[in-house]
Amino acid sequence: MLVESPPLSRAEAVSAPPTRRAIRGFGLLVAVVVLVLVAVASLAVGAKPLSLGEVWHGLFQDSGRYADVVVGDRLSRTVLGVLAGAALGLSGAVLQALTRNPLADPGLLGINAGASAAVVTAITYFGVTGLTGYVWFAFGGAAAVGAVVWFLGGSRGATPVRLALSGTAISAALYGYLQAVMIMDQSALAKMRFWTVGSLNSATGETIVQVLPFLVGGTLLALGLARPLNAMAMGDDTAKALGAHLNRTRALAMLAATVLCGAATAACGPIVFVGLMVPHVVRSFTGPDMRWILPYAAVLSPVLLLGADVIGRVVARPAEVQVGIVMAILGGPVFIHLVRRRRTAQW
């Protein structure tokens, strides 16, 4: 169900008082420190636990066994977790602002479904077997679905409701196609089963290099949309009066969300709840100002994703539980609790 946000007052649209800005800035700095600590834990925790000293030696002073574990196995995984988490958080925040729906996530507009359908098509009909091949098909599928949803939603006349309905319809059709193909082709099912649950354990330097330009470009675009999205939150008429270009802002927001989520899904598979839960939680202490929501989401989303990945490595040691499964198990009950606790609050 779509929940339209109440218009912001002019007082809320302008800069926050200096004291409040200082508190938000300090909170963002604390969030960065927490991210660094979680990243260190991601490097240290695994089938073979390492001390901080061993992690340091593996990164900077050693070319033997510690380097093989830290640099060879865990560094790419941690870097991809940071990048993908930030991308999912930013795309979720942008889509929630675009659709004026605090429960929106990248799956609402069919982006995850497009990536998944493209990957299963690549495996079944084109014989693609490697992750490097998945990346480009997944990204292409996400981008294609983003474009289709934009045009079905009315393109220049797109509204939040039209975009959400178009995305839901496209998602249903694509997931039906995906399930049909995998049922008929057992080899495709075997190859897809790990990718579809979402995982960081196949991360490589090559994968990061492939998706990095899209992640950087999408991040810069999303951060640059903070002020126009703030104006749109006041309502279309007020935004127009303030000089906002509604169609351009919506098109760029769709582009940013598609690029970010498409690249992250291509590299890691579809991971749920990150883009849904983190922006929703962030908004509870930053307020509705996108100039703060976006940076906080970009920092705290990797904290959640890497934290879930570390938990997955600990609970089933020496094996591991995929991060997508951990996120589904942890995210569902937590998000239900947040919605119930704040169900009477206005977004």
Side-chain angles (χ1 to χ4, degrees), residues 232-258:
M232 287 179 58
M234 301 180 194
D236 289 359
D237 292 338
T238 303
K240 288 179 181 178
L242 293 174
H245 300 278
L246 299 183
N247 291 330
R248 184 175 68 186
T249 300
R250 286 174 179 147
L252 292 176
M254 275 288 297
L255 177 62
T258 300

Side-chain angles (χ1 to χ4, degrees), residues 173-229:
L174 289 178
Y175 278 125
Y177 162 77
L178 188 150
Q179 294 298 325
V181 171
M182 289 198 299
I183 289 174
M184 292 186 295
D185 188 341
Q186 292 300 311
S187 64
L189 176 61
K191 294 172 183 176
M192 281 285 292
R193 57 184 177 146
F194 290 110
W195 188 86
T196 52
V197 299
S199 175
L200 297 175
N201 64 359
S202 298
T204 64
E206 184 179 2
T207 302
I208 294 172
V209 170
Q210 286 180 320
V211 300
L212 184 60
F214 300 104
L215 295 176
V216 172
T219 297
L220 294 176
L221 179 58
L223 294 176
L225 290 171
R227 289 182 182 274
L229 290 173

